[in-house]
Every structure is written in C-alpha cells, then in structure tokens.
Amino acid sequence: MATGGADDSGGGAGGEARAGSGADPGSDREPGDSAEAAAYRAALADRLIAEGAIATAEVAAAVRAVPRHLFTPGLALELAYANQVVFVKRDRWGVPTSSVSAPDIQAIMLEQAGIRAGMRVLEVGSGGYNAALMAELVGAGGEVTSVDIDRQVAERARRCLDAAGYGDVRVVVADAEAGVPAHAPYDRIVVTVEAWDLPPAWRAQLTPHGRIVVPLLLRGMTRSIALDREGDRLVSRSTRLCGFVKMQGAGSHPDAGYDLDDGDLSVDVDDPRAIPGAAQVEELLRGPRAEHWSGVHVWRWEPWDTLPLWLATVFPGYCQLNVHAPDTEALKPALASGTPAIATPTAFAYLTARPLPDGRIELGAHAFGPDAASLAADLAASTAVWDRDHRQGPGPVITAWPIDAPIPDTPVSDTPIPDTPTPVADLVAVRKHVRLTVDWRRIDQT
C-alpha cells in the first residue's frame, strides 16, 4: 500500500482528497467491470483460500467483490489479479514509495485485523484497493478512513475508489504520525507501510478494545503484528512474515546496517552499535570456517519465520546477512536475503542449510573468527531449542509499552527456558515512543 510519509512540502499538511460521486460499497460497478474480471476475482479468492491467506467467508466475499483491476489501471486482467505487488510510485532513486500490495499479505492482515460490520477503521497508507476491501467488511454501518501525506498518492486512491464505486471511503492527506483525530476513535487501525515505532496517537485513537495491525521492523526483520489495546499498552495476538515500503515523514527511520566486501554482502541490524563494525566483521570472515549442524529438518517451502525472531531474542548480536554476489566462496547462507546471523567481537555466525535425501534441508551454522566453533555450536543449539519448544507453537507475545511506563521485572511468563545457551532478553527494542518486549511460551505451556 502507499506510504503514510512526508510529501515535498515537508509533512504535516492536512486535508482530504475530495470524493467523487461513487456508489455505496456493494453497488453495481459499471463501467470498468466485466464478467471476465469477476471470474478473475473468484479465482484469486479461491487461490488465497487454498494457500491459507484467507480464513473467513467475510474476507473471501470482499476479495470476490472488489474490482482490483480498477486500482491497477493499465495492467492486463491476468496481471491485475496476480498475487503480486504493483508499484505505483518511486522516488528519484527508483525506490518504491507507494504500491498496491500483493493480495495474499492484504488478506492476511485483514484476517489479523478481524474487521466486522459497523466498525470504524483507519488505514495508514492509501493505495485504494485495501480501503475498498475494508469498506466491504464494515458495510453500510461502518466507516473507512485512509490517510496518506503524499497528495499525489491520496488523489490517485481517491480516483480509483470513485471509479470502483467506493465514494464513501474517506481519503485524508496528512502525516500518519498524528493519526486522524477528527474521525476517531477507531475499532481498527491497519498500517500498510513498514513502521519502526508506534506513535502515541495510534493507541490514543483506538477504542478501549481496539486493535492495530502494523508491519513492524524488529532486529532487521519485518513482521505484521496484530496488537490489541490493553490499557496503556499494546499486546500482540498474531505475528506474520511480511514486507512493505517504508514509512516516511515524522515516523520515518533510516536503514541500519552496512555493506561488506565492496557491496557483495550486507548486514541489516536494528542498532549498528549492538554489533562490531564492517571492518571488524570483514576481518572475522577472512578466517577459517567452523560449522555445526542442528539436526533440525525443514522443507524449503515450509514457514519457519518464528526462528529468526527466536534467535533475535536469544542473541544480543543478532543481525541479518544478505548476499548480493552470486559467488561467495566459503559463505553458504541458508537464504540469499535475510539469513539470521550473529555478530560478536570474536566471531560471526549465520544460519546455513544442506540438502537431505528426502528433499528437506537440515539447518546448521557456519561461523568465522577466534570463537567460531563456540558460536556455531550455540547457534545450532538455539535452533534445536526452537524446533523442540516453539516450532509448532503460537510464537511469542510481543508487548509495546509506552516509553515512560514501568515494565515488570520479569516477562509475562517467567518460566525459564532450559538448554538455551544465552539468557533470553526480555527487552527486544527501544524506540522513540515505545519499548518492545517478548514472552516465549513453550508448546507444553500453551
């Protein structure tokens, strides 16, 4: 979806992209619609159901109803209804700043949000299509407000919504850092840009039992997290893997990390001060390689997205390794992009994989530096703990505490986690407005 970031005026300017004479949600949507387009919509809904992105009849009905091709003008129908992102604006360097997200992640986030008829919903980021899906979900008795500070993006969304028959969706031009107080409170806030922080306005504009769904950046990885309001804190109910264009404006945050070996490799990290610098890591990588195998077997297509978050909780020096060159000789990371890695002053380790006869892969660790053998063993052991205690579990509970609020001395669940080589860190990240904590429950504790 589009970004809720700053425009060329520097951010903060408000207003609304004026609605046209579009029909109410659910009405006939001619011209521009067709039986062929309806067939593509039905096929897309069927595919998302089969893949598990859609779990409820309400979200399925919304996907079958909203003409996505009217929000991606110029694309052939087979492309408009493909399960892929459509970029609609880029900055001067070619970096996407606005998009119509892939249908599967939109469906997943709508399922996370649990939007029901009659609700008031705020969308941060205006691509148009997602707001139309929300309009179908809230029905005639609900309200949908979509905010984006980029006036061009907001006006495009307004035109597409009108063309598709969703003139009742409100499109506001403003910096999303402040929410949209004029139309609050909201039962749901759905953020469709990558956020580094959770501004107080979002929580303040929620109803007492409201929910925020936000792609939150944690230790270099992005997860769509559904957070329910519980007093002055926000507590997660689900976490899903995702990727989005970045927040702009007051809520923006520069990329953290650095390049290695003249750009052949790069490291993403939450706080560069938590790991050694580029020159030190390059020096570690010049040494001999140690390896240790975990005994954990997974299918390559299998979702194991809780593993990186688990490792980020266990190891203070967690980061993610990206490979940009086709040949890296001794380096064999498990993934080309976003491979979990650990950096310390005396060793650098990352997750690796080797094929098994049955088609699965075994996860293990490669490490370099004076303490390579020890760190590789620790990384493999932590992977095995995840496999035993968390692989089939619900994932962690992530809590966002106001930055000035006291945090309990112990996590929500203070049961120690055995066989973990490094103490589990309750505190994951400190932001401008919130502190984020985690609580991992073992399978036999859920």
Side-chain angles (χ1 to χ4, degrees):
M1 300 303 298
T3 167
D7 62 6
D8 293 339
S9 64
E16 291 197 17
R18 185 173 60 85
S21 57
D24 291 337
S27 66
D28 293 336
R29 294 185 183 88
E30 298 292 349
D33 206 354
S34 66
E36 184 182 11
Y40 273 106
R41 288 199 295 277
L44 175 61
D46 291 343
R47 173 180 177 179
L48 296 179
I49 291 170
E51 294 176 353
I54 290 178
T56 62
E58 291 80 6
V59 173
V63 172
R64 295 181 196 277
V66 178
R68 189 173 191 260
H69 63 284
L70 297 184
F71 297 89
T72 57
L75 287 184
L77 286 177
E78 60 267 25
L79 296 178
Y81 289 98
N83 189 24
Q84 63 183 23
V85 62
V86 178
F87 296 113
V88 298
K89 186 174 182 181
R90 299 177 184 267
D91 64 17
R92 68 184 68 178
W93 298 281
V95 177
T97 60
S98 177
S99 67
V100 177
S101 299
D104 58 351
I105 187 58
Q106 289 178 312
I108 286 169
M109 293 181 72
L110 291 176
E111 294 287 3
Q112 286 184 291
I115 298 170
R116 298 188 298 274
M119 283 187 169
R120 298 161 63 95
V121 181
L122 174 65
E123 179 194 36
V124 174
S126 300
Y129 176 65
N130 200 51
L133 292 172
M134 293 177 183
E136 289 287 342
L137 292 171
V138 302
E143 293 184 12
V144 176
T145 300
S146 184
V147 57
D148 200 303
I149 203 169
D150 188 321
R151 184 171 292 277
Q152 289 182 335
V153 170
E155 289 177 347
R156 178 192 181 279
R158 177 74 275 158
R159 291 192 301 271
C160 291
L161 285 162
D162 288 346
Y166 295 92
D168 283 355
V169 172
R170 184 183 295 114
V171 181
V172 176
V173 183
D175 193 316
E177 179 85 353
V180 184
H183 305 293
Y186 304 102
D187 300 290
R188 299 290 187 265
I189 297 176
V190 180
V191 182
T192 59
V193 286
E194 180 187 273
W196 181 79
D197 201 356
L198 299 169
W202 294 357
R203 175 176 52 82
Q205 291 173 26
L206 276 180
T207 59
H209 301 290
R211 176 178 296 175
I212 295 175
V213 179
V214 55
L216 195 61
L217 187 64
L218 288 170
R219 294 287 179 94
M221 69 191 88
T222 308
R223 296 293 186 271
S224 174
I225 306 176
L227 297 153
D228 284 354
R229 181 174 180 176
E230 294 186 5
D232 64 350
R233 62 180 179 164
L234 297 166
V235 181
S236 72
R237 293 294 176 260
S238 65
T239 303
R240 298 294 297 268
L241 181 68
C242 70
F244 279 85
V245 298
K246 295 182 179 299
M247 180 78 70
Q248 298 181 39
S252 65
H253 188 264
D255 288 336
Y258 46 70
D259 289 336
L260 299 169
D261 291 342
D262 297 322
D264 288 349
L265 309 169
S266 65
V267 170
D268 297 329
V269 64
D270 215 27
D271 182 354
R273 296 171 298 181
I275 65 173
Q280 190 172 354
V281 171
E282 288 176 338
E283 182 62 29
L284 292 171
L285 289 172
R286 294 189 187 102
R289 188 182 81 190
E291 70 178 31
H292 201 103
W293 296 98
S294 68
V296 177
H297 300 172
V298 300
W299 298 103
R300 285 197 177 273
W301 47 261
E302 179 183 352
W304 34 282
D305 51 289
T306 57
L307 175 58
L309 191 53
W310 164 250
L311 296 175
T313 308
V314 173
F315 293 97
Y318 181 87
C319 54
Q320 295 198 127
L321 178 66
N322 307 299
V323 178
H324 307 291
D327 297 316
T328 54
E329 297 181 1
L331 294 181
K332 302 295 180 184
L335 304 168
S337 178
T339 294
I342 316 297
T344 75
T346 57
F348 182 88
Y350 58 81
L351 206 65
T352 188
R354 61 184 177 185
L356 298 171
D358 64 359
R360 292 182 294 174
I361 57 174
E362 181 182 3
L363 299 177
H366 284 168
F368 303 81
D371 290 334
S374 175
L375 186 57
D378 282 354
L379 179 52
S382 291
T383 302
V385 172
W386 165 81
D387 179 60
R388 184 192 68 199
D389 294 341
H390 305 297
R391 181 175 176 179
Q392 303 301 324
V397 175
I398 300 170
T399 304
W401 307 79
I403 194 66
D404 56 353
I407 296 178
D409 293 334
T410 59
V412 179
S413 173
D414 58 0
T415 304
I417 302 174
D419 304 328
T420 302
T422 309
V424 173
D426 302 331
L427 188 63
V428 173
V430 179
R431 304 300 193 226
K432 179 180 178 181
H433 300 301
V434 297
R435 287 182 286 177
L436 300 164
T437 60
V438 295
D439 169 33
W440 286 90
R441 293 180 173 87
R442 292 175 54 178
I443 295 173
D444 56 6
Q445 296 171 336
T446 59

